[in-house]
Amino acid sequence: MLNSKVLDDISARVKEMLDKSPARDVEKNLKALLSSALSRLDLVTREEFEVQTQVLLRTREKLTELEARLDRLESQASNSSGGGG
C-alpha cells in the first residue's frame, strides 16, 4: 500500500503541473472575459431586486387605496349635488 508521503508528493506534483498548464491560463482568461461582459450589463443584485419588488408592492397597495378613496369622494359629491335634473 502507498504511504501518505507518496500520495502527498503525487498530489503536489499534479497540482504544480496543472498550475503551469495552458488550461490554467484559459481558465483565468475565461473568468476575465465573463467578468468584463457581465460588468457591461445593467444588472442588479438579488437584494436590490427584492427591495424594489417590495417598493412596487407598497405602491400598488397605496394606489388601490387612493382609487377607492377617490371613488368614495366622487360618489359623495354626486349624491350631495342633487343628482336629479
Side-chain angles (χ1 to χ4, degrees):
M1 196 182 258
L2 296 174
N3 65 29
S4 174
K5 184 170 175 23
V6 172
L7 290 176
D8 289 344
D9 185 47
I10 291 172
S11 176
R13 288 182 187 202
V14 168
K15 183 181 180 324
E16 182 181 333
M17 242 179 16
L18 289 175
D19 286 344
K20 293 179 180 178
S21 76
R24 187 74 172 159
D25 290 337
V26 169
E27 180 183 356
K28 286 179 186 177
N29 290 338
L30 184 57
K31 283 182 181 180
L33 178 66
L34 286 173
S35 178
S36 174
L38 290 174
S39 70
R40 284 183 289 213
L41 297 176
D42 193 16
L43 302 174
V44 296
T45 64
R46 170 58 68 181
E47 183 179 348
E48 291 171 314
F49 178 80
E50 294 297 333
V51 167
Q52 291 304 313
T53 299
Q54 292 302 315
V55 168
L56 180 59
L57 180 61
R58 286 192 303 271
T59 302
R60 285 181 179 166
E61 290 170 352
K62 186 68 173 177
L63 177 61
T64 301
E65 291 171 10
L66 290 172
E67 287 174 335
R69 184 175 174 195
L70 180 60
D71 288 344
R72 285 192 307 272
L73 290 172
E74 288 175 339
S75 177
Q76 289 173 359
S78 67
N79 289 338
S80 64
S81 67

